[in-house]
């Protein structure tokens, strides 16, 4: 019986029919044994403002986000690509959560995936990997899940229509399970 892994997933798009949020729903259906997934909606997180932080502390949605990250054994970040980089919605949420010496990202195993245009969010994912390094996370190297031409692979409601994507998400989650167990010292990552 494999040990339990609680994954927190969040996607860097607020669109109702977002293909990246669709990818997160695909993940929910591909979890390996012992893994469960909670999804955090980034919509309530306000824009980062250092004055708010120093005068009032973290806004309530940021507190909730930080606690959810802290409670998770691993993270699954779904990253669209805007202008070759990380969308502001996602970067802003990470920036809020990253504040302070007790920032909750440190030591977390993390898997990245994303859907976009020609390169399937590759450029933004590599920028996000750089952020993961600074925050002392443990990003999973492979497999990479970059879904190109997403407009042809999801329908108008953001539901997956191209069945070639589902096994790639399943492989990513299986690798994340092994990586998480390896990092926490379970025998052979199983
Ligand atoms: C401001 C903006 C910039 C974008 N820049 C890129 C880009 O650099 N590379 C890319 O592949 N797609 C880019 N796109 C297209 C998005 O990948 C596409 O709209 C995608 O569906 C957004 O993800 P979502 O469906 O999860 O909201 C951009 C979209 C917007 C709104």
């Amino acid at each position: 019986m494999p040990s339990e892994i609680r994954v927190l997933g969040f996607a860097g798009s607020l669109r109702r029919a977002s293909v990246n949020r669709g990818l997160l729903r695909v993940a929910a259906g591909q979890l390996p044994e012992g893994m469960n997934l909670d999804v955090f909606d980034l919509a309530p997180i306000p824009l980062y403002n250092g004055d708010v932080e120093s005068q009032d502390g973290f806004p309530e949605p940021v507190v909730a986000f930080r606690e959810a990250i802290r409670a998770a054994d691993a993270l699954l970040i779904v990253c669209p690509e805007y202008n070759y980089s990380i969308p502001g919605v996602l970067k802003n949420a990470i920036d809020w959560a990253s504040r302070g010496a007790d920032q909750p990202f440190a030591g977390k195993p993390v898997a990245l995936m994303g859907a976009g245009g020609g390169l399937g969010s590759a450029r933004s994912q590599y920028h996000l990997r750089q952020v993961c390094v600074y925050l002392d996370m443990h990003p999973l190297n492979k497999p990479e899940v970059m879904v190109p031409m997403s407009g042809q692979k999801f329908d108008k409601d953001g539901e997956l229509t191209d069945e070639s994507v589902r096994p790639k998400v399943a492989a990513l989650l299986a690798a994340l399970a092994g990586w998480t167990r390896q990092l926490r010292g379970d025998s052979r990552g199983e």
Side-chain angles (χ1 to χ4, degrees), residues 85-175:
S85 193
I86 306 165
V89 163
L90 178 58
K91 183 64 164 52
N92 177 69
I94 292 173
D95 290 343
W96 261 121
S98 72
R99 298 294 293 157
D102 64 341
Q103 62 92 354
F105 291 113
K108 295 287 177 194
V110 54
L112 312 180
M113 62 178 180
L119 294 186
S121 78
R123 290 162 294 219
S124 62
Q125 287 193 42
Y126 286 125
H127 284 184
L128 183 55
R129 281 186 184 274
Q130 186 174 328
V131 173
C132 292
V133 170
Y134 179 68
L135 293 176
D136 203 17
M137 289 192 250
H138 297 296
L140 178 70
N141 285 337
K142 288 189 176 174
E144 297 179 313
V145 177
M146 294 150 176
V147 182
M149 301 307 167
S150 57
Q152 299 166 18
K153 293 175 179 157
F154 292 80
D155 67 16
K156 63 176 179 29
D157 296 317
E159 297 300 330
L160 183 68
T161 54
D162 183 331
E163 287 304 320
S164 70
V165 175
R166 219 176 291 276
K168 293 179 179 144
V169 174
L172 179 74
L173 294 170

Side-chain angles (χ1 to χ4, degrees), residues 4-56:
E4 189 199 9
I5 298 174
R6 291 157 301 167
V7 176
L8 183 73
F10 45 96
S13 173
L14 306 183
R15 259 171 18 93
R16 183 194 60 79
S18 158
V19 297
N20 286 280
R21 289 163 68 129
L23 209 49
L24 201 47
R25 287 192 296 277
V26 169
Q30 299 299 315
L31 300 171
E33 192 183 354
M35 180 179 277
N36 58 64
L37 174 68
D38 285 327
V39 172
F40 195 94
D41 181 7
L42 302 182
I45 295 187
L47 286 176
Y48 178 76
N49 183 331
D51 291 339
V52 171
E53 184 189 0
S54 57
Q55 289 159 24
D56 305 325

